[in-house]
Amino acid sequence: MIISIANQKGGVGKTTTTLNLGVALTKLNKKVLMIDMDPQASLTISLGIEPTELKQTIYNALIEETDIKNVILYSDLLYFIPSTIDLSAAELELVSEIGRESKLHDLLENIKDSFDYIIIDCPPSLGLLTVNALVASNAVIVPMSPEYLALRGFGLLQQTIAKVKKLNKSIELMGVLVTMFDGRTSHHKEILTELKNKYPVFESVIKKSVKFPDAVLAGQSIIDFDESFDGAEAYKNLAEEVISWHSKELV
């Protein structure tokens, strides 16, 4: 199964979710490939990898047609395709190509059956890189901070998913993942309630914590950094929700 982690708004926890969901799924003995589709290379950096030292990235596979198997890094059950700032040029270079929205889909066709889950960290935009991820995906998870403006912006992503359905009929919104939640504020509680009334929302809620940036500085997932932390538990619960959703789709 291929899952895009998408939201055109930055700073909502897309990279944190990609990394920690990926690691949590491996703890449940799932073979996972994570793909960094963001030119900012946040996921790559979060794994403790220096982008400037990389010779092969997702850019080489998308633009130079390097065999995608040659850009995969791996450790046990967790596999990874990194990104660099070079990817920012990819959208311009893809514009003139035939089938430009399906480049990533075509690359993944030969390897998708080798993994239980492929998770794509999308950039904070609804450009060609995000569209490529959505066209390649079976499902979308939308990390969202519980704020009014974030809720309003969600409509744009829904419109994009609706348009992508013309190219990829199988894509579905798996759910909204509420991130950076502060249960002490009535505003956050109200937005959470409104989200649950309108959209599929995961039971797992990711609370705001300084431990997440601390884990990034350590080049680790929150699960490896502090498995007893409630944020680590939340992502492990999210992994179980994802597996449950996938199981129902297969029936």
Side-chain angles (χ1 to χ4, degrees):
M1 176 177 222
I2 304 176
I3 304 168
S4 279
I5 310 296
N7 190 328
Q8 75 274 20
K9 190 176 186 301
V12 295
K14 288 189 297 294
T15 298
T16 298
T17 296
T18 304
L19 174 58
N20 290 294
L21 175 58
V23 170
L25 286 167
T26 65
K27 301 295 183 184
L28 297 170
N29 294 313
K30 302 299 181 182
K31 187 177 178 183
V32 177
L33 170 66
M34 302 187 302
I35 303 176
D36 192 347
M37 280 291 282
D38 187 349
Q40 296 177 73
S42 299
L43 182 58
T44 303
I45 294 165
S46 295
L47 284 165
I49 299 168
E50 175 49 57
T52 57
E53 296 176 2
L54 293 166
K55 294 181 180 178
Q56 302 276 14
T57 70
I58 188 64
Y59 172 85
N60 301 93
L62 279 171
I63 304 302
E64 298 176 358
E65 300 187 357
T66 299
D67 188 336
I68 195 164
K69 294 176 184 175
N70 293 336
V71 302
I72 297 175
L73 309 175
Y74 65 93
S75 174
D76 297 324
L77 289 171
L78 192 65
Y79 294 68
F80 178 59
I81 296 178
S83 171
T84 65
I85 193 64
D86 291 345
L87 193 58
S88 60
E91 288 199 86
L92 291 174
E93 295 178 63
L94 285 171
V95 164
S96 60
E97 291 205 23
I98 296 171
R100 56 187 178 268
E101 298 94 349
S102 302
K103 287 282 287 186
L104 184 62
H105 170 274
D106 296 343
L107 288 172
L108 297 180
E109 274 297 293
N110 294 328
I111 64 169
K112 66 181 184 180
D113 292 337
S114 299
F115 300 94
D116 296 306
Y117 292 94
I118 296 176
I119 308 174
I120 307 170
D121 185 23
C122 297
S125 73
L126 296 177
L128 202 45
L129 292 175
T130 296
V131 169
N132 259 266
L134 296 176
V135 170
S137 297
N138 308 109
V140 186
I141 293 175
V142 183
M144 186 185 297
S145 56
E147 299 166 356
Y148 179 65
L149 290 176
L151 183 60
R152 287 193 57 138
F154 182 46
L156 291 173
L157 179 57
Q158 283 186 299
Q159 290 172 21
T160 301
I161 293 170
K163 290 176 182 177
V164 166
K165 265 189 173 289
K166 296 175 183 177
L167 298 169
N168 174 14
K169 293 178 181 177
S170 69
I171 192 168
E172 297 290 345
L173 172 64
M174 186 185 296
V176 173
L177 175 69
V178 174
T179 60
M180 294 182 283
F181 181 74
D182 186 344
R184 297 169 299 179
T185 69
S186 58
H187 179 64
H188 280 202
K189 291 176 181 177
E190 288 167 6
I191 295 295
L192 178 58
T193 300
E194 189 171 348
L195 280 169
K196 287 185 173 180
N197 288 336
K198 289 185 176 181
Y199 310 110
V201 177
F202 290 102
E203 288 298 319
S204 305
V205 172
I206 313 302
K207 296 178 183 176
K208 191 172 185 177
S209 172
V210 296
K211 284 213 172 185
F212 288 110
D214 287 346
V216 170
L217 285 173
Q220 293 181 306
S221 71
I222 195 66
I223 295 165
D224 294 318
F225 184 73
D226 184 357
E227 194 166 4
S228 64
F229 170 55
D230 61 5
E233 286 297 322
Y235 275 112
K236 286 189 280 187
N237 291 337
L238 175 65
E240 292 179 356
E241 288 190 73
V242 167
I243 291 170
S244 176
W245 189 93
H246 186 199
S247 298
K248 290 174 184 175
E249 287 294 300
L250 293 174
V251 173

